[in-house]
Amino acid sequence: DAKTTQPPSMDCAEGRAANLPCNHSTISGNEYVYWYRQIHSQGPQYIIHGLKNNETNEMASLIITEDRKSSTLILPHATLRDTAVYYCIVRVFNDYKLSFGAGTTVTVRA
Amino acid sequence: SAVISQKPSRDICQRGTSLTIQCQVDSQVTMMFWYRQQPGQSLTLIATANQGSEATYESGFVIDKFPISRPNLTFSTLTVSNMSPEDSSIYLCSVEDLKYEQYFGPGTRLTVT
């Protein structure tokens, strides 16, 4: 049973911001939103996670709506190396299980 | 973040044989995980390997098929036993740090002929 819904694919232009949506309408109060990405032929890479406040790190920003039913991962200046499958995952903070869905295939074009 | 290595990076094996995959971490971690990624699919958790206890397997995975060892806090192995072509996948190990962030190894690409 999928806990998140993501568009299957999206394109974005190099140098522009990439905004990746995720719907998690059944999220529980103790569940966090995690984002990972998987570049072709590599292991998944942790990007960012958050509970209800917006979060930012050196890779991306995470914007979570006030009702927590959806979120957006923002790559501020997409590069060709950001081409990957991006996974939005909800998990209880101390529950190690990561349930990977189909993710969004992001293609950054020059 | 933890640095994880896996051996072998890829292998081609005959059906009926077994392959043991090694996972090495550059720091001590409590929890290690093994995932499978079948061709064109997303990742599926196989089992959790904690040092000093038996591995905990997810639904659909059994110890006889995927025995796991965890001899210390930096190392684990996963064996894929009595292989069939359906076992052709990428096998990945991961670890979780104290900030509840999981880091993945590069994966082992297995092809069974």
Side-chain angles (χ1 to χ4, degrees):
Chain A
D1 53 341
K3 287 190 171 183
T4 64
T5 303
Q6 299 177 252
S9 64
M10 61 183 295
D11 288 0
C12 62
E14 187 179 23
R16 304 292 295 272
N19 298 295
L20 282 62
C22 179
N23 181 288
H24 31 80
S25 58
T26 61
I27 193 170
S28 301
N30 63 347
E31 287 184 313
Y32 285 66
V33 179
Y34 278 71
W35 283 84
Y36 284 78
R37 72 180 183 184
Q38 187 174 26
I39 297 170
H40 183 62
S41 297
Q42 297 182 22
Q45 177 187 22
Y46 166 82
I47 301 174
I48 198 168
H49 74 273
L51 180 62
K52 55 183 179 181
N53 298 321
N54 298 337
E55 302 288 344
T56 296
N57 63 20
E58 65 279 3
M59 289 184 65
S61 295
L62 174 60
I63 309 297
I64 302 174
T65 58
E66 190 169 345
D67 63 7
R68 302 212 318 124
K69 292 184 177 182
S70 65
S71 62
T72 301
L73 179 74
I74 301 173
L75 307 178
H77 304 287
T79 71
L80 298 179
R81 289 177 295 180
D82 291 322
T83 293
V85 179
Y86 286 76
Y87 298 99
C88 171
I89 300 168
V90 296
R91 63 170 273 191
V92 177
F93 199 53
N94 58 357
D95 180 355
Y96 54 82
K97 292 184 181 180
L98 294 178
S99 297
F100 286 84
T104 296
T105 299
V106 174
T107 303
V108 180
R109 303 191 185 278
Chain B
S1 62
V3 176
I4 303 168
S5 60
Q6 288 186 230
K7 290 182 181 180
S9 59
R10 59 178 62 229
D11 208 341
I12 301 173
C13 302
Q14 292 190 343
R15 68 174 66 207
T17 64
S18 298
L19 176 71
T20 295
I21 302 167
Q22 300 179 7
C23 177
Q24 180 76 51
V25 189
D26 69 341
S27 58
Q28 294 185 339
V29 293
T30 301
M31 304 191 77
M32 295 181 74
F33 311 92
W34 287 97
Y35 287 81
R36 179 177 74 181
Q37 187 171 29
Q38 295 176 299
Q41 303 296 314
S42 191
L43 284 80
T44 301
L45 180 64
I46 297 172
T48 303
N50 291 338
Q51 195 265 340
S53 63
E54 289 195 5
T56 302
Y57 290 83
E58 297 299 305
S59 176
F61 298 96
V62 295
I63 187 171
D64 289 347
K65 176 66 176 178
F66 299 101
I68 289 171
S69 78
R70 182 79 199 273
N72 57 53
L73 292 174
T74 63
F75 187 79
S76 178
T77 67
L78 169 77
T79 299
V80 185
S81 304
N82 188 25
M83 289 184 285
S84 66
E86 292 71 36
D87 294 319
S88 296
S89 297
I90 299 173
Y91 292 86
L92 302 109
C93 69
S94 73
V95 302
E96 181 149 303
D97 67 9
L98 297 177
K99 295 185 292 183
Y100 300 103
E101 297 168 8
Q102 277 195 28
Y103 298 94
F104 287 79
T108 295
R109 186 179 297 271
L110 171 62
T111 302
V112 183
T113 60

